[in-house]
Amino acid sequence: MTAPTSQDHPQRDHLVSALVRDEPRVLTRITSLFGRRGYNIRSLSVGSTEHPGVSRMTFVVTGDRGVVEQAMRQLEKLHDVIKIIDHSLEKYVDRELVLVKVAITPESRVEVRQIAEDFRARIVDVGRHALTFEVTGDEGKITAFIEQMRSFGILETMRTGRIALTRGSNADIPSHVYHGGETETLRPAVEGIEPREERARGVPNLF
């Protein structure tokens, strides 16, 4: 029997969200879990939700499928984690925002503006020798815009990291994805925080 190779367990990006209690050191505990097991977090975004006291963390983790599933099971044991959402199991919409400062000359100004218009980028700052653009879109669009501007000279960039939500309808999703069950897409993301908190008290904290 041959040992498994990297081709048997391909490394790829996985988009995962976690609904967590808005409490001190939650972010540290979650990122420490990934770091101690050698998982690489490519991007991380954190923000408030429609529920007071609950935040949503969205992160892109690089690894094989088995590794990511193991990490998600570990996350669910943390007292601060309310719910884990694996976006690979349902249709989702994702976005990212980037600020890009591009060097310009009198000769390149018109061309740079034209490319920005093609990407529906918005100018947020104008200088004598640089323009700063705001671009919103999926990861592919953001990467393509940066590559287009690279030849003119990129002075600075800042990316927020990907955020995602499951789509509002699952009519076009194969039924086998849900293993014969009903999708949770149309249900509230958080239902009754207190019962989950009581159950969490019996789970040993990993940190």
Side-chain angles (χ1 to χ4, degrees):
M1 183 175 179
T2 59
T5 64
S6 58
Q7 293 181 345
D8 300 320
H9 302 284
Q11 302 284 308
R12 67 182 188 87
D13 291 340
H14 302 266
L15 186 60
V16 178
S17 290
L19 294 174
V20 302
R21 291 171 176 78
D22 189 8
E23 297 176 358
R25 298 185 296 278
V26 173
L27 179 59
T28 301
R29 283 192 285 271
I30 291 178
T31 54
S32 294
L33 185 149
F34 284 100
R36 292 182 181 184
R37 288 158 178 78
Y39 307 150
N40 180 39
I41 300 179
R42 285 193 56 243
S43 75
L44 173 65
S45 298
V46 184
S48 59
T49 68
E50 68 280 12
H51 297 276
V54 177
S55 295
R56 178 185 292 264
M57 298 177 58
T58 303
F59 39 87
V60 178
V61 186
T62 302
D64 64 71
R65 183 65 196 169
V67 167
V68 173
E69 288 180 348
Q70 182 183 21
M72 291 174 62
R73 287 193 294 269
Q74 293 295 318
L75 284 175
E76 289 177 337
K77 295 180 181 179
L78 295 179
H79 168 75
D80 308 298
V81 175
I82 301 167
K83 183 177 182 180
I84 299 294
I85 304 167
D86 183 356
H87 293 291
S88 67
L89 300 181
E90 296 189 357
K91 297 287 186 180
Y92 63 88
V93 57
D94 69 310
R95 289 293 183 269
E96 185 175 4
L97 182 143
V98 64
L99 296 177
V100 185
K101 184 182 293 185
V102 182
I104 58 170
T105 64
E107 295 76 21
S108 67
R109 180 183 292 268
V110 173
E111 185 177 0
V112 168
R113 282 178 172 268
Q114 183 58 59
I115 293 174
E117 288 181 9
D118 293 341
F119 281 85
R120 297 182 180 178
R122 190 164 68 95
I123 298 176
V124 294
D125 186 66
V126 178
R128 292 183 59 187
H129 305 291
L131 294 175
T132 301
F133 298 97
E134 173 191 304
V135 189
T136 304
D138 59 28
E139 188 177 32
K141 176 183 176 181
I142 299 297
T143 301
F145 178 79
I146 291 175
E147 290 303 314
Q148 286 288 321
M149 291 299 175
R150 199 174 297 281
S151 61
F152 300 102
I154 295 179
L155 303 177
E156 290 181 278
T157 63
M158 183 59 202
R159 300 177 70 157
T160 60
R162 294 167 68 183
I163 57 174
L165 289 176
T166 51
R167 290 188 179 274
S169 172
N170 65 330
D172 58 344
I173 304 175
S175 59
H176 71 268
V177 171
Y178 303 108
H179 308 290
E182 181 184 1
T183 176
E184 296 185 355
T185 302
L186 302 181
R187 297 177 182 174
V190 178
E191 292 182 345
I193 297 177
E194 291 303 321
R196 170 63 178 84
E197 183 175 4
E198 291 299 323
R199 291 197 301 271
R201 297 183 192 279
V203 179
N205 199 318
L206 298 180
F207 303 96

